[in-house]
């Protein structure tokens, strides 16, 4: 039986390690502070932000949600971010994506002071990542590295294959694996012979956004498979194929009208992998934990007290 990499367990350990650090900051001066900018009424974003605010409250981190309307302009959002940059009690700023279509997302993200960039998306911090310099890292890939570390899965010298080259998951994931001395291949929609390349991976990371796309032919026997995908499906026939032998997941679809599936086939991964992250309960819980970790690290570095740097 493969090892199931339990993201909830790793999340709890990360949060337990942060708790005394938050208490120390709170008793020395003030608790760490995170501001979340949520523009408009995108339903999944509202759920994500609610979960982030709840995680802050559970840990004793001060949080603040700024909720401009769906009609907000780029200038209005930049002004909100700039005012948060100046606030000494705010150590981290997160701009929840996607922003409404009329907004220039790049300009808004660039306005975030790199020191307060809780998501690690600012190009300045991406540069720090490329250069192997300290700085906030993108939360999902950083959480995956923590998961590999806690489960003592060797990375150095291993062949790692990352499917997906997005700025928020695929690219930073590949760089973190590279810095941990894996030999890394990044794949995307134009990769030739994707199954063959994936089968080279002793560590295979799927960050694609295509339900159960990576089937048995993509998985090297015994590989560690990290499934970042979070796809909500509503189609009964598709769910019956993907969750063959899992009547409880099909029942969940009947009950809720949709069911969550990763980018890796959940049955095939059990048969071929040596270790894997389930969906849900694998990578998902790690992202918020690392957001908390980035905020605490910023507070410890005294970010709120320093004048904000803006790199545009
Ligand atoms: P994204 O920006 O849409 O990027 C998807 C990547 O997959 C792209 O690089 C794309 O290639 C590649 N791709 C798409 N179809 C492909 C195919 N048929 N063959 C090979 N590569 C293909 O997505 P993302 O933001 O990275 O997110 C990926 C998944 O992770 C989504 O399901 C998302 O919901 C999930 N996610 C989960 C968490 C979490 O906390 N668990 C966090 C973030 C994202 P091209 O570049 O060539 O188009």
């Amino acid at each position: 039986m493969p090892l199931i990499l339990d993201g909830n367990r790793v999340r709890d350990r990360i949060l337990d390690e942060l708790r005394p650090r938050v208490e120390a900051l709170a008793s020395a001066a003030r608790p760490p502070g995170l501001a979340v900018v949520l523009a408009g009424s995108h339903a999944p974003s509202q759920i994500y932000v609610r979960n982030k605010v709840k995680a802050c409250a559970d840990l004793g981190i001060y949080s603040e949600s700024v909720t401009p309307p769906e009609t907000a302009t780029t200038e209005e959002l930049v002004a909100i971010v700039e005012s948060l940059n100046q606030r000494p009690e705010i150590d981290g700023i997160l701009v929840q994506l996607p922003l409404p279509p009329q907004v220039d997302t790049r300009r808004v993200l660039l306005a975030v002071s790199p020191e307060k960039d809780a998501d690690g998306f600012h190009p300045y911090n991406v540069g720090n990542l490329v250069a192997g310099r300290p700085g906030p890292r993108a939360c999902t890939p950083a959480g995956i590295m923590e998961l590999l570390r806690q489960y003592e899965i060797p990375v150095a010298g291993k062949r790692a294959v990352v499917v997906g080259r997005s700025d928020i998951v695929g690219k930073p994931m590949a760089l973190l694996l590279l810095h941990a001395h894996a030999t890394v291949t990044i794949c995307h929609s134009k990769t030739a012979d994707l199954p063959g390349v994936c089968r080279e991976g002793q560590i295979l990371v799927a960050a694609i956004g295509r339900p159960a796309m990576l089937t048995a032919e993509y998985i090297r026997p015994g590989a560690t498979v990290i499934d970042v995908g979070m796809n909500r499906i509503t189609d009964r026939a598709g769910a019956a194929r993907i969750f063959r032998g899992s009547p409880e997941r099909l029942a969940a679809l009947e009950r809720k009208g949709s069911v969550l599936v990763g980018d890796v086939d959940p049955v095939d991964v059990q048969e071929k992998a040596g270790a894997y992250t389930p969906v849900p309960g694998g990578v998902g819980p790690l992202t918020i934990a690392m957001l908390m970790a980035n905020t605490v690290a910023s507070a410890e570095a005294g970010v709120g007290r320093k004048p904000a740097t803006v790199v545009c």
Side-chain angles (χ1 to χ4, degrees):
M1 282 297 282
L3 174 65
I4 297 175
L5 305 170
D6 181 349
N8 289 313
R9 202 183 98 181
V10 175
R11 173 205 52 204
D12 290 346
R13 281 218 203 153
I14 295 169
L15 297 180
D16 285 347
E17 190 264 332
L18 291 175
R19 229 173 285 281
R21 292 165 59 190
V22 172
E23 281 163 16
L25 285 160
S27 56
R30 58 165 179 80
L34 175 71
V36 183
V37 180
L38 170 64
S41 52
H42 183 245
S45 294
Q46 287 177 329
I47 297 170
Y48 297 146
V49 167
R50 228 181 2 254
N51 290 339
K52 288 166 186 173
V53 168
K54 183 177 176 311
C56 285
D58 289 348
L59 210 53
I61 292 178
Y62 167 75
S63 75
E64 193 172 303
S65 304
V66 188
T67 54
E70 190 80 46
T71 52
T73 62
T74 303
E75 285 65 33
E76 284 163 347
L77 293 183
V78 167
I80 289 170
V81 167
E82 283 173 346
S83 80
L84 293 168
N85 282 339
Q86 303 307 325
R87 299 253 309 272
E89 74 281 23
I90 298 296
D91 302 289
I93 301 170
L94 177 152
V95 179
Q96 185 65 45
L97 301 180
L99 292 173
Q102 74 280 8
V103 173
D104 182 344
T105 300
R106 274 173 188 250
R107 269 191 60 203
V108 178
L109 293 181
L110 266 177
V112 176
S113 161
E115 293 93 342
K116 293 194 177 187
D117 173 28
D119 258 337
F121 290 168
H122 194 289
Y124 181 88
N125 289 320
V126 176
N128 280 334
L129 169 60
V130 173
R133 287 161 51 99
R137 304 294 194 225
C139 298
T140 304
I144 292 167
M145 294 308 292
E146 184 58 25
L147 175 109
L148 294 173
R149 194 187 67 75
Q150 286 199 19
Y151 276 97
E152 299 180 355
I153 291 174
V155 176
K158 299 296 175 192
R159 292 294 305 270
V161 175
V162 179
V163 191
R165 56 176 164 182
S166 70
D167 291 340
I168 61 172
V169 189
K171 282 184 207 157
M173 184 74 252
L175 283 160
L176 288 171
L177 287 164
L178 181 66
H179 288 315
H181 310 297
T183 301
V184 184
T185 304
I186 308 178
C187 302
H188 47 76
S189 63
K190 306 289 186 292
T191 298
D193 184 23
L194 186 64
V197 179
C198 287
R199 278 199 307 274
E200 290 172 10
Q202 293 165 298
I203 298 171
L204 174 62
V205 181
I208 312 165
R210 302 250 183 275
M213 186 185 125
L214 302 192
T215 48
E217 62 169 335
Y218 293 77
I219 301 169
R220 175 181 176 139
T224 296
V225 179
I226 307 294
D227 190 351
V228 185
M230 296 224 292
N231 311 292
R232 212 153 256 298
I233 58 168
T234 52
D235 149 47
R236 284 209 184 96
R241 181 182 54 75
I242 293 169
F243 295 116
R244 52 205 184 278
S246 292
E248 68 284 0
R249 299 298 297 276
L250 293 171
L253 170 66
E254 295 301 330
R255 229 178 21 255
K256 298 181 190 162
S258 70
V259 65
L260 198 62
V261 60
D263 288 340
V264 182
D265 186 284
V267 176
D268 289 357
V269 76
Q270 284 181 47
E271 285 169 7
K272 286 201 83 174
Y276 71 96
T277 56
V279 177
V283 173
L286 305 172
T287 304
I288 291 185
M290 295 316 289
L291 175 68
M292 301 297 110
N294 280 348
T295 305
V296 172
S298 293
E300 288 172 338
V303 161
R305 291 195 301 277
K306 296 176 189 162
T309 317
V310 179
V311 184
C312 290

